[in-house]
Amino acid sequence: METKGFSKNIDLLKSLGAPVAVVGSINADLTVETERLPEPGETVVGGPLAILPGGKSANQAVTCALLGADVNLIGAVGLDGHGDLLLASLQKAGVNTLGIRRVENPSGSTLITVDKVGENTIVYSAGANNAVDAKMVHSKRRLIREANVLGLCLEAPIEAVQEAARIAHKAGKTVVLNYSPIVKVPDSLLEQVDVLIVNEHELAVLSGRKLDAESSEDLEKAMRELDCDRVVLTLGANGSKVLEDGEIFDVPAVRVETVDTTGAGDSFMGTLLCTLSAGHSLVDGAKLAAVVSALATKKVGAQASYRNADEVKEFLKAQA
């Protein structure tokens, strides 16, 4: 993508101060770099183990805060050292942490292997995230009602996700759901979603049929078949497709030297959350998200790789 075609993103970045709420997961990412990803049953040699702050919801909240949004995160971490690490990272980024509970369970964690071209495999262990139940979410309902947009994923217990969506929907707020990881969800939850974010695998599950990932026509047909008026289909290095106002728009990816793709999708969604909260279109949000998520792949880790608004502006200016 020619970033000079997105110069208005520099002006858009100046407007991202509106309130956002995110409900869900906060994890410690245990990351090892390897020459290549192991085959089933195979052992490969890796580099030093890095313990980095992550979790889909925490990553989204950190992205929002770094870009200038007023963001509250509702979730849980353990009383362990990982919990200390996770809270410190959130607070350093500017995320409001009043909605985070500390519990006796170990903090959530992910085991991540990253190969030399930046591809990864991820195993998720919920830990303290399982303490985020409907009762807890209901007790934090004020934080959801005060936001313009609510961000959700499926790394938290489904009853908590449902309660958060119900509160936001009833209050007239925009509900954004990243259908990840793939789990069975009730129709009542999907009915309360205003913006759905999926990759091609998640789209196939929701559409209930096998898709031809090489066929733009087939992917777009499946997007239109979903019971949601606004859909973002993320396609990694191939950019994204956005369904908005009955039209589908192609948003190209930004080409950078990729080191690690961990958390790039979360930074994409976080960007969408704060642009939607500030009143921008889904398409314009996806264009800025393409830049932000590309920059996130230039360093190892999720939150550790994210850039603030000034750094994104400098990148855009350098490409002009």
Side-chain angles (χ1 to χ4, degrees), residues 6 70 80 137 194 252 260:
F6 292 77
D70 178 13
D80 50 13
V137 170
D194 300 294
D260 178 11

Side-chain angles (χ1 to χ4, degrees), residues 235-302:
L235 298 168
N238 293 319
S240 63
K241 291 180 178 290
V242 179
L243 171 62
E244 185 173 38
D245 297 328
E247 293 187 62
I248 292 181
F249 304 85
D250 285 304
V251 178
V254 174
R255 304 298 177 188
V256 297
E257 184 176 346
T258 297
V259 174
D260 178 11
T261 59
T262 303
D266 300 332
S267 69
F268 188 99
M269 177 168 169
T271 306
L272 287 180
L273 293 176
C274 55
T275 52
L276 288 171
S277 182
H280 299 287
S281 72
L282 193 58
V283 173
D284 283 345
K287 290 176 179 178
L288 178 60
V291 177
V292 174
S293 59
L295 290 175
T297 70
K298 290 171 64 63
K299 295 181 180 180
V300 173

Side-chain angles (χ1 to χ4, degrees), residues 19 23 27 37 44 52 57 73 75-76 82 93 117 122 124 143-144 155 163 171 196 200 203 209 212 288:
V23 174
N27 301 325
L37 301 178
V44 298
L52 301 170
S57 301
L73 176 60
H82 286 173
V117 295
I122 301 175
Y124 168 58
L143 301 179
I144 296 174
E155 283 187 344
E163 177 64 9
L196 188 62
E200 60 234 65
L203 177 61
R209 60 186 178 87
D212 181 357
L288 178 60

Side-chain angles (χ1 to χ4, degrees), residues 200-201 203-205 207 209-214 218-219 222 225:
E200 60 234 65
H201 307 294
L203 177 61
V205 171
S207 64
R209 60 186 178 87
K210 186 175 181 179
L211 300 177
D212 181 357
E214 302 300 318
D218 195 33
L219 292 174
E225 290 172 351

Side-chain angles (χ1 to χ4, degrees), residues 51 75 78 81 99 108 159 177 185 193-195 205 218 223 229 236 238 257 263 270 279 290 298 300 309 313:
I51 302 175
E159 63 269 18
L177 173 67
V185 296
V193 172
D194 300 294
V195 179
V205 171
D218 195 33
M223 290 174 69
D229 293 333
N238 293 319
E257 184 176 346
K298 290 171 64 63
V300 173
K313 289 175 192 174

Side-chain angles (χ1 to χ4, degrees), residues 41-269:
E42 181 186 19
T43 298
V44 298
V45 176
L49 175 70
I51 302 175
L52 301 170
K56 294 184 73 65
S57 301
N59 293 344
Q60 293 156 17
V62 165
T63 299
C64 289
L66 290 174
L67 294 179
D70 178 13
V71 56
N72 277 285
L73 176 60
I74 298 171
V77 298
L79 294 170
D80 50 13
H82 286 173
D84 296 336
L85 169 74
L86 296 170
L87 282 176
S89 179
L90 292 166
Q91 291 164 353
K92 180 180 178 181
V95 176
N96 299 320
T97 58
L98 292 176
I100 297 175
R101 175 182 295 174
R102 300 206 71 167
V103 298
E104 293 186 359
N105 313 49
S107 296
S109 59
T110 50
L111 310 178
I112 304 172
T113 306
V114 182
D115 71 11
K116 65 179 181 180
V117 295
E119 291 299 324
N120 62 41
T121 61
I122 301 175
V123 178
Y124 168 58
S125 176
N129 294 308
N130 280 334
V132 185
D133 57 17
K135 182 178 179 181
M136 176 192 169
V137 170
H138 188 76
S139 72
K140 305 295 183 182
R141 60 192 178 277
R142 177 182 62 81
L143 301 179
I144 296 174
R145 291 171 177 167
E146 290 177 349
N148 295 337
V149 172
L150 170 67
L152 298 170
C153 71
L154 300 174
E155 283 187 344
I158 195 65
E159 63 269 18
V161 177
Q162 284 184 277
E163 177 64 9
R166 185 195 68 78
I167 293 168
H169 182 74
K170 185 176 181 181
K173 310 301 182 178
T174 299
V175 179
V176 182
L177 173 67
N178 177 205
Y179 185 68
S180 178
I182 296 174
V183 298
K184 185 178 177 65
V185 296
D187 291 340
S188 58
L189 170 60
L190 295 176
E191 289 168 0
Q192 296 176 323
V193 172
D194 300 294
V195 179
L196 188 62
I197 302 175
V198 293
N199 61 25
E200 60 234 65
H201 307 294
E202 296 150 4
L203 177 61
V205 171
L206 284 176
S207 64
R209 60 186 178 87
K210 186 175 181 179
L211 300 177
D212 181 357
E214 302 300 318
S215 170
S216 183
E217 181 179 349
D218 195 33
L219 292 174
E220 292 180 6
K221 181 180 179 182
M223 290 174 69
R224 292 185 183 280
E225 290 172 351
L226 298 180
D227 191 20
C228 188
D229 293 333
R230 291 188 284 175
V231 179
V232 179
L233 172 62
T234 58
L235 298 168
N238 293 319
S240 63
K241 291 180 178 290
V242 179
L243 171 62
E244 185 173 38
D245 297 328
E247 293 187 62
I248 292 181
F249 304 85
D250 285 304
V251 178
V254 174
R255 304 298 177 188
V256 297
E257 184 176 346
T258 297
V259 174
D260 178 11
T261 59
T262 303
D266 300 332
S267 69
F268 188 99
M269 177 168 169

Side-chain angles (χ1 to χ4, degrees), residues 22-33:
V22 181
V23 174
S25 57
I26 310 170
N27 301 325
D29 290 345
L30 282 64
T31 304
V32 175
E33 295 184 68

